[in-house]
Amino acid sequence: MTSSLSAQDDGTIVIIANRGPHDFVWEDGRWIAKTAAGGLMTMIEPLARQPDVAWFCCVSEPPGSEAERDALYTTAKDQTAPDLNVVPVPLPADVYQDYYGEISNEVLWMLQHNLVGQFGYSSLDERRHRAWDNYLHANERMADAVLATEIPVRAFLIQDYHLYPLAEMLRQRYPETASLHFIHIPFPDPSVLKLLPKAWREVMLRGLLGADVVGLQTRADVRSFLSCCAEVLGAEVDFSQRTVRLANGRVVRARAFPASSDPAAIRALQDSPEVQAGRDRIAAVTAEMNVIRVDRLDPSKNQILGFTAFGRLLEAHPELHGRVRFLAFLVPSRTDLTVYRQYHDAVYAEIAAINERFRGTCGFDPIEVLYTNDRAQAVAAMELCDVLLVNSRQDGMNLVVKEWALVSRKPGVLVLSESTGVADDIPDSALLVCPLDVEGTASALAEALAMGGEQRGAWVEQIRNGVHKWTARDWLEAQLKELGLALAAPPAKPEPAPIAEPGVVERELTVRNREGIHARPAAAFVRCAREFDDEIELLKDGERYSAKSILAVLTANLSCGSTFRLRVEGPNADLVAQRLSEIVASFADEDR
Ligand code: G6P
């Protein structure tokens, strides 16, 4: 049966994740809430903002801050959004470091992205074995923290690899309460999982089987999970029903819920002043053609081989020198972990070598790194890039691809690793590459840069339509439905934005300022139009006027109340139309 979450007597839906919608940081002797970055938050937010939902998250409590624990709870209440019910669970900093850094990221993250050896999971020493105890301990603390609140719980939604043992621990405390554990990263096959000690992999699988539903990104992940249950635990698995029957008769379902993006939220971001500022900054570093990448600086994203492939592209195609640039939007991540610091240095060394080699013939550094967490700036670059490179070693889904398809205006071409979850959905709309194949990636980059506009537009549209058909909200609703719950009052699904004829944008504008577009406003309008190479015209009363000629604009007789069509054709069509519309609107503001 399906019930609305807002019904009081249903109890609370409890979300449990390592990160909350905010990070709690101990700075200068006090707790501060900072908005957390990442896809997880945006996907869960519609649920988190409903009444009767609580979000438990882990917080690293540094020595000396314990006495201020009450202040942590007060900060969670006062500094986060009023409609979010966030419950921080403090863990001593050394326990947190073991649970989050040593085990979750340096072992599980690496193993599940097939990173074994250099820049990955390489061995387990005595230190790591002690860290495993703290991983278990951190999970116990989470389970106890929920119990301690004594809230009636309707269902648990557990997130990701930090919390593998948790569902089982919660079942001991809440035997009847429904739970779903969603894993955002790839699930390994049995042969890979066996690189963990027997006791660890058993805890991991038995922990997950404490849930009623194990959610994974793709059908391949579901198969891998079921195979591990069969081979590692010897459990009774039904591959056709995608279920595991436990010794006590309880049946656990394994289901794929591919993560997705929120088109409305992305569109709102695109309209923000932050993205506009990003466009202005990006304009200063772009070349005639631009390859971009947008990802956390992480060995799983395979940045080094991506840059090596770009170097090979320049070597094989001297005609591209001075015409193409690689803009790398790298987001700092897990910087206190040794393996991430080493990877950072190796990435920078590769970039330096390529820039050194080709700077002279290109006339500029062919690779430009923007090492910062600035989503708005990255969106601005995604709008107009020629090629988006996503060559991850492995990736649960990769939401950058979906966001790029939503914001792309030029449009560009996607060069995509076959080992990403998203590649399963869009095999015919991207140039697929094997992530370890440097030569193949270089060839794909060359092919992408040479591809015609019509083909590019058709591919982007296919991906974009796919995102509109299955959004972040669908991802969430499908999970709730699996537990017999529903989100209250879903808003109407936004229609996919129509894609105009490639490179052409038309807009209907009305002149609202008292003096009309004469003299000074006309000069400002023309000045802006002349900043772009695109063809820009005003269509009025069956006539066409060039927007770059002051005489033509004056002749169009754009008096107050008159309406005209702005037509822009060229690579920056969307951007130009947006800028000129804003200018026309700003003339009216000046009257006030
Ligand atoms: C991936 C994981 C998330 C994680 C995010 C950022 O998307 O699936 O659970 O939050 O990376 O990593 P961080 O370690 O900074 O939380």
Side-chain angles (χ1 to χ4, degrees):
M1 202 193 72
T2 299
S3 58
S4 161
L5 295 185
S6 47
Q8 282 294 333
D9 41 60
D10 277 345
T12 300
I13 297 283
V14 172
I15 299 164
I16 313 177
N18 171 56
R19 274 188 198 273
H22 294 77
D23 291 338
F24 296 96
V25 193
W26 179 251
E27 264 180 20
D28 302 328
R30 63 195 190 98
W31 285 106
I32 304 189
K34 297 189 171 176
T35 303
L40 199 142
M41 168 57 192
T42 48
M43 288 198 295
I44 300 182
E45 193 174 344
L47 174 65
R49 291 191 184 279
Q50 289 204 10
D52 300 325
V53 175
W55 186 325
F56 286 70
C57 59
C58 296
V59 174
S60 174
E61 191 177 55
S65 67
E66 303 87 341
E68 295 299 319
R69 194 169 290 164
D70 284 349
L72 172 62
Y73 301 130
T74 320
T75 301
K77 201 159 173 297
D78 297 346
Q79 289 187 18
T80 60
D83 54 347
L84 286 177
N85 186 9
V86 183
V87 187
V89 179
L91 297 172
D94 54 339
V95 173
Y96 185 87
Q97 168 61 21
D98 283 353
Y99 137 85
Y100 170 76
E102 291 273 335
I103 300 299
S104 298
N105 288 328
E106 293 196 337
V107 176
L108 298 175
W109 172 273
M110 297 301 174
L111 182 78
Q112 293 191 236
H113 289 87
N114 231 321
L115 290 155
V116 176
Q118 201 202 10
F119 303 126
Y121 160 48
S122 46
S123 65
L124 295 180
D125 55 9
E126 177 266 342
R127 166 92 196 75
R128 282 253 162 83
H129 274 272
R130 274 188 287 126
W132 175 254
D133 292 340
N134 274 335
Y135 177 80
L136 299 178
H137 181 54
N139 275 268
E140 288 280 357
R141 289 280 279 253
M142 291 305 276
D144 286 340
V146 179
L147 193 65
T149 59
E150 295 182 1
I151 49 175
V153 182
R154 177 84 179 83
F156 292 110
L157 292 178
I158 305 165
Q159 307 300 313
D160 239 347
Y161 56 100
H162 316 85
L163 302 172
Y164 282 138
L166 187 59
E168 169 63 9
M169 292 172 173
L170 288 170
R171 187 158 293 278
Q172 287 160 13
R173 292 159 177 81
Y174 299 82
E176 302 302 326
T177 306
S179 61
L180 185 150
H181 190 143
F182 185 81
I183 302 162
H184 294 251
I185 65 175
F187 206 87
D189 284 329
S191 57
V192 176
L193 193 67
K194 282 180 185 162
L195 295 175
L196 290 178
K198 188 166 185 288
W200 294 28
R201 56 188 193 247
E202 287 184 1
V203 162
M204 184 174 158
L205 293 171
R206 286 194 208 289
L208 283 170
L209 291 172
D212 295 288
V213 184
V214 176
L216 299 127
Q217 294 275 19
T218 66
R219 278 174 302 183
D221 292 320
V222 169
R223 272 195 305 277
S224 299
F225 171 69
L226 294 173
S227 304
C228 285
C229 290
E231 277 192 41
V232 174
L233 293 182
E236 188 186 330
V237 171
D238 182 332
F239 282 90
S240 65
Q241 296 298 312
R242 293 161 292 139
T243 54
V244 183
R245 181 176 290 278
L246 306 181
N248 63 6
R250 200 165 62 78
V251 173
V252 180
R253 280 116 59 206
R255 297 287 181 265
F257 305 101
S260 193
S261 306
D262 176 351
I266 304 281
R267 209 172 299 151
L269 178 62
Q270 255 185 306
D271 289 339
S272 69
E274 287 78 18
V275 170
Q276 186 51 51
R279 289 182 192 118
D280 295 340
R281 281 197 302 276
I282 298 302
V285 290
T286 48
E288 181 190 332
M289 290 184 279
N290 301 284
V291 176
I292 71 163
R293 71 175 309 134
V294 180
D295 33 31
R296 287 184 303 102
L297 184 46
D298 186 310
S300 70
K301 304 296 179 184
N302 200 21
Q303 276 107 353
I304 294 180
L305 293 193
F307 292 127
T308 311
F310 184 69
R312 174 73 189 120
L313 170 82
L314 293 178
E315 185 179 71
H317 293 273
E319 76 281 5
L320 291 176
H321 292 197
R323 297 182 59 209
V324 65
R325 194 166 211 192
F326 194 152
L327 304 178
F329 297 85
L330 303 183
V331 178
S333 183
R334 305 174 189 166
T335 46
D336 51 346
L337 301 183
T338 310
V339 60
Y340 280 78
R341 285 204 298 269
Q342 288 170 344
Y343 191 68
H344 167 282
D345 294 349
V347 167
Y348 271 72
E350 180 67 4
I351 293 170
I354 294 167
N355 280 341
E356 188 67 26
R357 181 165 169 209
F358 296 105
R359 184 177 297 130
T361 47
C362 287
F364 51 73
D365 280 356
I367 302 175
E368 173 81 18
V369 181
L370 297 100
Y371 182 55
T372 171
N373 185 8
D374 186 340
R375 189 152 173 254
Q377 177 175 267
V379 164
M382 285 194 253
E383 288 178 343
L384 294 177
C385 70
D386 294 274
V387 179
L388 172 69
L389 176 63
V390 176
N391 66 319
S392 313
R393 185 72 182 261
Q394 240 185 320
D395 227 326
M397 177 53 54
N398 195 289
L399 292 179
V400 170
V401 166
K402 298 192 177 190
E403 290 188 1
W404 162 78
L406 291 172
V407 305
S408 172
R409 291 173 185 231
K410 199 167 181 182
V413 185
L414 173 63
V415 174
L416 177 66
S417 159
E418 292 169 307
S419 312
T420 54
V422 71
D424 281 2
D425 288 346
I426 55 165
D428 304 326
S429 318
L431 294 174
L432 295 183
V433 293
C434 158
L436 297 183
D437 181 3
V438 172
E439 189 62 18
T441 306
S443 305
L445 289 174
E447 191 182 338
L449 288 168
M451 191 178 282
E454 209 169 304
Q455 171 79 81
R456 293 175 177 216
W459 277 10
V460 173
E461 190 172 353
Q462 272 178 44
I463 305 174
R464 187 182 300 184
N465 287 341
V467 183
H468 278 279
K469 277 194 202 121
W470 180 266
T471 65
R473 192 178 174 95
D474 295 310
W475 171 82
L476 190 57
E477 282 184 334
Q479 291 176 60
L480 293 171
K481 197 168 162 214
E482 195 67 44
L483 292 178
L485 300 164
L487 269 179
K493 236 179 173 183
E495 282 300 309
I499 294 202
E501 166 191 343
V504 176
V505 171
E506 289 197 10
R507 284 196 188 188
E508 185 99 358
L509 299 179
T510 302
V511 181
R512 305 224 179 264
N513 59 319
R514 275 193 295 275
E515 69 166 310
I517 305 190
H518 297 296
R520 193 187 53 81
F525 184 85
V526 169
R527 211 170 25 248
C528 177
R530 283 186 182 161
E531 281 176 27
F532 298 91
D533 291 336
D534 307 57
E535 194 180 310
I536 313 170
E537 289 178 315
L538 314 179
L539 315 182
K540 184 163 174 279
D541 305 329
E543 299 289 337
R544 303 172 88 101
Y545 305 91
S546 166
K548 295 186 180 175
S549 152
I550 186 123
L551 197 61
V553 171
L554 292 175
T555 315
N557 192 18
L558 301 169
S559 53
C560 183
S562 61
T563 297
F564 66 96
R565 247 184 129 58
L566 177 69
R567 183 180 190 281
V568 189
E569 182 168 359
N572 309 304
D574 253 314
L575 181 62
V576 176
Q578 180 64 24
R579 286 265 189 94
L580 290 175
S581 311
E582 282 165 7
I583 285 198
V584 171
S586 74
F587 297 149
D589 293 340
E590 288 167 13
D591 282 352
R592 285 184 201 122

